Amino acid sequence: QTVVTQEPSFSVSPGGTVTLTCGLSSGSVSISYYPSWYQQTPGQAPRTLIYSTNTRSSGVPDRFSGSILGNKAALTITGAQADDESDYYCALYMGSGISVFGGGTKLTVL
Amino acid sequence: EVQLLESGGGLVQPGGSLRLSCAASGFTFSSCPMSWVRQAPGKGLEWVSGISDSDGSTYYADSVKGRFTISRDDSKNTLYLETNSLRLEDTAIYYCAKVRNYFYFGMDVWGRGTTVTVSS
């Protein structure tokens, strides 16, 4: 069974830079998995940030960026702000219409 | 404005059934693949099911395969999820999501969700 891995939690200082990662329990993440990233604050629906590894969704500030770092997908937030404090989820496309989400990373800005 | 509005959630006993609906507006529904994603209380997101626009092909997570059925009515701009043989672990907020052109691009617009509670 494919497991998508994310750091359970991370913290960043206001104005700082943080990189969250998205890996596979077995194997490497590549652009062929079309990694996407979603932001969710408590009680709200998810919001799409990044798709196809590094393309920002409409209206997403350019301080959010996606990439492949080594064998993982990565979401980098540059110049973190207080309202970036959220849960962040990655999803990988497994083929045949199926996507798998990671367990999510709870980001604290303090 | 693109909008997705889910309905049909509620309290159901184990083994019971519910039909979830998602009313879409603000885009050409018939041209878009769609998905359902759920989130159990205090847990992460879980992709549940998807349906294509072109030929109505359907896809399911292993956790719901054989119990849930996704369908769409393009004349009503509505997506459905028929949930049967419900289990305690199916308790979750169920989100309807518009797929960005192709399934590999993921979801680009999300509804606010409808809550399903499975309990005796």
Side-chain angles (χ1 to χ4, degrees), chain A residues 34 38 40 44-46 48 51-52 57 89 93 96-99 101, chain B residues 37 39 43-45 47 59 95 100 103-108 110-111:
Chain A
Y34 296 90
Y38 306 88
Q40 187 183 37
Q44 301 296 315
T48 304
Y51 66 97
S52 193
S57 195
Y89 296 92
Y93 182 67
S96 300
I98 295 171
S99 290
F101 283 93
Chain B
V37 175
Q39 186 169 36
K43 303 296 185 182
L45 301 174
W47 180 87
Y59 310 97
Y95 295 103
R100 188 191 304 272
F103 283 111
Y104 49 77
F105 282 154
M107 285 64 71
D108 63 347
W110 298 72

Side-chain angles (χ1 to χ4, degrees), chain A residues 4-6 20-23 29-39 46-57 65-68 72-76 87-94 98-105, chain B residues 35 37 45 47 97-100 102-110:
Chain A
V4 178
T5 62
Q6 295 185 248
L20 311 182
T21 68
C22 175
V29 177
S30 68
I31 60 173
S32 300
Y33 285 92
Y34 296 90
S36 52
W37 291 90
Y38 306 88
Q39 178 191 47
R47 169 198 181 197
T48 304
L49 296 176
I50 301 284
Y51 66 97
S52 193
T53 304
N54 56 13
T55 305
R56 275 184 297 276
S57 195
S65 62
S67 64
I68 297 291
K72 295 182 179 182
L75 173 70
T76 299
D87 295 324
Y88 291 86
Y89 296 92
C90 71
L92 301 179
Y93 182 67
M94 299 300 175
I98 295 171
S99 290
V100 178
F101 283 93
T105 296
Chain B
S35 284
V37 175
L45 301 174
W47 180 87
K98 173 182 168 293
V99 173
R100 188 191 304 272
Y102 304 101
F103 283 111
Y104 49 77
F105 282 154
M107 285 64 71
D108 63 347
V109 179
W110 298 72

Side-chain angles (χ1 to χ4, degrees), chain B residues 30-51:
Chain B
S30 60
S31 298
C32 292
M34 299 291 293
S35 284
W36 287 97
V37 175
R38 70 183 180 183
Q39 186 169 36
K43 303 296 185 182
L45 301 174
E46 179 188 13
W47 180 87
V48 172
S49 183
I51 185 167

